[in-house]
Amino acid sequence: MNPLTIAALNRINRRFYSDRSEQFSQTRKTPWPGWAEVVATFQDHRSTIFTTPRLSILDVGCGNSRLLPAIEGQLHEKCRYVGVDSSLPMLVEALKGAVGRSRVPAILVATDLVSGGGLECLEPQTFDLAAAFGLLHHIPGRQTRVHLLRSMADRLEPGGVLAVSFWQFGEQERFLRRVIPWEAYNLRASERIDVAELEEGDVLLTWGDAEEAGGGSRGPAARYCHFTDESAAEQLIESLDMEILAHFFSDGDGGRQNLYYVLGKSASN
């Protein structure tokens, strides 16, 4: 995928989260069930690798930082939490939830995770756990996704843990009904998408109820999403050359809404 198409797809999502941050945040208040298994795997792994007086957590694509209270409830020790997101309005929502939190102070960082240098803004910080939940489907282009995952791995301490999820919307009819054909989108869009540059699995999904999805004169409230199936996810994970600590499905109806990987970085790195 060429850089122009990557940037155009990224702008679709930047506009969505700018316009809908408060409404979207209201629908994202509770932790996903899969997070508990991720944190348990992390705890088991680090007990055999390292002990630190204060854990450091990196939440990439943190949104309204709802991962923070989930971590606070499960890790009964001091933590340092850094949340990174491309959307300033979503970070405002994160700040609302972080105010008054004493045991886990939050540092929130705005950076374009697609075209703005990724995680370079965090150097030279390193972390015990780096997580990206509900994010990778918004990253256009396979190489962009690989670059972001490798950047996360680079920000880990030796023996640290990388945890990611892949939204399995492509296997669920209720989400597939929300797909907008690219040709229909281009008829109304102020910035057309070069369909020839898209990768298999690249779609537009409406968001909200049916009336809201219509969007009036602005068109549907839509997000760019990439469907990474289990085979494609495995290929991405293999490109990282890290130990697989856990691999499972969880969340949603039937417990298969998200595919998780929890990976360990070599303690000698």
Side-chain angles (χ1 to χ4, degrees), residues 96-130:
K96 293 177 185 177
V99 169
R101 193 176 302 281
S102 57
R103 191 166 65 84
V104 183
I107 299 171
L108 302 173
V109 180
T111 185
D112 190 331
L113 294 169
V114 174
S115 56
L119 301 177
E120 294 176 5
C121 62
L122 298 179
E123 294 180 357
Q125 297 181 73
T126 55
F127 301 86
D128 301 315
L129 170 65

Side-chain angles (χ1 to χ4, degrees), residues 39 57 67-76 79 81 103 129:
V39 176
I57 313 295
L67 179 61
L68 178 53
I71 288 175
E72 185 179 30
Q74 199 167 347
L75 295 176
H76 302 291
C79 296
Y81 171 93
R103 191 166 65 84
L129 170 65

Side-chain angles (χ1 to χ4, degrees), residues 231-252:
S231 175
E234 183 179 2
Q235 292 177 28
L236 279 175
I237 295 304
E238 287 177 351
S239 73
L240 299 176
D241 193 26
M242 298 177 69
E243 179 188 0
I244 298 177
L245 305 176
H247 166 217
F248 60 92
F249 289 92
S250 186
D251 312 331

Side-chain angles (χ1 to χ4, degrees), residues 39 42-43 46-47 50-57 71-80 102-105 128:
V39 176
F42 167 67
Q43 289 177 305
R46 78 181 189 88
S47 68
F50 61 90
T51 56
T52 55
R54 188 180 189 186
L55 293 174
S56 51
I57 313 295
I71 288 175
E72 185 179 30
Q74 199 167 347
L75 295 176
H76 302 291
E77 53 196 293
K78 292 182 179 180
C79 296
R80 175 173 66 94
S102 57
R103 191 166 65 84
V104 183
D128 301 315

